[in-house]
Amino acid sequence: MPMILAANANAQGSHVGEWRHPDAWDRPAANLANAVRLAQIAEGGGFDLLFLADGNGVRNMDKPDLFAATSPSDRPGIFEPVTLLAALAMATSRIGLVATTTTTYDEPFHVARRFASLDHISGGRAGWNLVTTSNPGDALNFSHEAHVPRDDRYERAFEFAAVVKGLWDSWADDAFPQDKASGRFLDPARVHALNHHGKHFQVAGPLNAPRPPQGQPVVFSAGQSETGRELSAAMADCVFAIEGTLPRAQALYADLKGRLAKHGRTPDSLKILSGVTIIAGETAEEARRMSDELDALVPDAVALDYLNKMTGLKFKLSMLDQPFPDLDTSEIGPTAIAQAIVARARGEGMTIRQASRAILPQMAGNLFVGSATEVADRMEEWYRGHGCDGFMIAAPVVPTGLERFIRLVVPELRRRGLVRTEYEGTTLRDHLGLPRPANRFFPA
Ligand SMILES: Cc1cc2nc3c(=O)[nH]c(=O)nc-3n(C[C@H](O)[C@H](O)[C@H](O)COP(=O)(O)O)c2cc1C
């Protein structure tokens, strides 16, 4: 199976200073022309899929410097992602289209319906990234007074995913003969009403959409806690993982693949994509110069707000040159991302200023900066070393960072036989080497 290439396709690149860079798009807020162009660039480069992270709230209004400057995971002016992917489906023909939707503040019937529709519209290229919502403030937009506690979110997520998958199998593949001569639009013997009665959901079904072209759209998940990993092993086809070092990525990879057997699954049935920001240059010096240029676009106050946002900590500007403190896990924000940032800052003996600067290009994830050969070497090392099955690639500046990656690094990966040279199938499952599942209610 070749290395999987996914484009993390936010309207802005992955670097906090990105949108101010002279090469970045002008006016990136809710800009459809940009999104179409980015999807076409990624498809032209042979990417397996385009990925949209998402949330349901405006963040950082309590951090005025960062709020005004914004950062890549804030997204105050974007499109609802499934709506956007429906438009991108019409402007592309092969690339997979994956959108994030939360199980905490949505309903399984809505989600099953949206992604079944996207799968039909795109001819079998849809994927759903299941998250339980990272931003506590999103709760306030859905009639909650506070974020649902993590254990409850995950309990709901398991049931939610099971309902969505059941709804996608509502109809047999041949349930809609639409035969003018006989007058039979559909075959009443080929539909299954789910009649789900659970702790969180009561869903009668069936879904009001034919079975998706992929049978089941591809399910991604992003969550790295113990329960998050169990959810991925039980429910997901792909995991979007963030690890800053190869040994940590290898440990996560082995752990996730090792959980599959008890669900009757093979290691191949779950693909692990490692998040990475790639700054590729004609030469290593050029790549490092671009990285420095981007860092210079972020004032200290914005960088510090960003560190506080990512870790849940409350550092002040007067503390910038103090060593990063040794903190108890309970003081650090709950996500794997926050834990990784703190582990790195402590491990490398950083000051608070250095930690705030270190995360500007890539949050807690991985960063590959260098010439095409250097970047391809690192990707090959991670891939062959069982750190991942492929990469969720963010460019520091869009669209030029992605174009550079395609122009400089993709040919080198192809030369090494690590990625395929052209699309071989038509669906996202084809690209990922995932078979089309049989219908659980209408086995062949
Ligand atoms: C790599 C990665 C990407 C994520 N992307 C999103 C996202 O786009 N939107 C969101 O609301 N939450 C996102 N999350 C948050 C998770 O859904 C989850 O709520 C959070 O990580 C806490 O769970 P965990 O402790 O299992 O990691 C992401 C998490 C990870 C690790």
Side-chain angles (χ1 to χ4, degrees), residues 51-56 59 73 75 100-102 104 129-135 138 147 150 153-154 221-229 239-243 273 275 334-337 363:
F51 178 94
L52 298 175
D54 195 55
N56 284 287
R59 310 181 186 198
S73 57
R75 305 181 288 257
T100 298
T101 294
T102 179
T104 305
N129 179 40
L130 181 172
V131 297
T132 62
T133 291
S134 53
N135 181 37
D138 290 11
H147 201 15
R150 164 158 347 143
R153 296 205 303 273
Y154 272 115
S221 93
Q224 289 178 213
S225 61
E226 171 62 28
T227 342
R229 293 176 191 210
V239 172
F240 173 17
I242 287 194
E243 287 296 2
L273 303 187
T335 66
I337 293 175
M363 302 197 262

Side-chain angles (χ1 to χ4, degrees), residues 396-408:
V397 177
V398 277
T400 52
L402 192 65
E403 286 168 329
R404 273 168 182 280
F405 175 79
I406 290 167
R407 181 164 53 81
L408 300 172

Side-chain angles (χ1 to χ4, degrees), residues 41-70:
I41 290 169
E43 186 168 77
F47 270 73
D48 295 294
L49 64 101
L50 196 77
F51 178 94
L52 298 175
D54 195 55
N56 284 287
V58 169
R59 310 181 186 198
N60 299 321
M61 293 180 76
D62 62 333
K63 298 183 180 66
D65 291 298
L66 185 62
F67 184 52
T70 203

